[in-house]
Amino acid sequence: SPIYQKDSDFEVFVDPDGSCHQYKELELNALNTVWNLMLDKPYNDGGAEHSGRTANPGDPFYYEVQHQKSATQVLSGSLNDPSQGATYSVEIAMAHSDTLAHLQAHNGGGESS
């Protein structure tokens, strides 16, 4: 199941052409467990998740990044201890080749790739 259903996570949303189509989402938790997905259009408009969680390489619903780097560090507290909680930092490097992938022309939006 997705990270957000089990752990607190940090999420980044990237919509390069501002169309709410083919937007990318990156989620990671304090252990640096990463989940990348692309949403072809908003869920309310019948959108579907494209990710390595829902499909295998070669499948039209497969999406994964190739050049992303991430790191986390627990700054205080303890993981998996609700009485104490934890504070952690996140460092992310995202490549344009990943965030601009799969764009399609929407209302004058980005180019296909």
Side-chain angles (χ1 to χ4, degrees):
S1 63
I3 293 171
Y4 70 86
Q5 292 179 347
K6 295 188 181 236
D7 296 317
S8 296
D9 68 344
F10 184 84
E11 300 184 23
V12 177
F13 299 85
V14 180
D15 185 7
D17 66 358
S19 68
C20 294
H21 290 77
Q22 276 74 31
Y23 82 78
K24 313 314 184 295
E25 189 173 328
L26 158 68
E27 299 185 23
L28 58 132
N29 65 13
L31 296 174
N32 200 28
T33 303
V34 175
W35 177 38
N36 286 288
L37 71 99
M38 178 179 69
L39 195 63
D40 55 4
K41 57 186 171 183
Y43 287 120
N44 289 343
D45 294 337
E49 173 190 333
H50 295 241
S51 74
R53 186 182 77 84
T54 61
N56 295 315
D59 185 303
F61 281 86
Y62 181 78
Y63 171 76
E64 189 57 83
V65 299
Q66 303 300 315
H67 306 289
Q68 173 180 293
K69 295 179 183 179
S70 64
T72 60
Q73 181 178 5
V74 176
L75 302 173
S76 66
S78 297
L79 298 180
N80 301 316
D81 183 354
S83 68
Q84 201 174 53
T87 301
Y88 65 100
S89 66
V90 174
E91 186 174 338
I92 302 168
M94 300 174 82
H96 289 299
S97 59
D98 291 329
T99 60
L100 300 176
H102 304 287
L103 289 182
Q104 297 175 0
H106 298 283
N107 305 321
E111 298 177 8
S112 296
S113 62

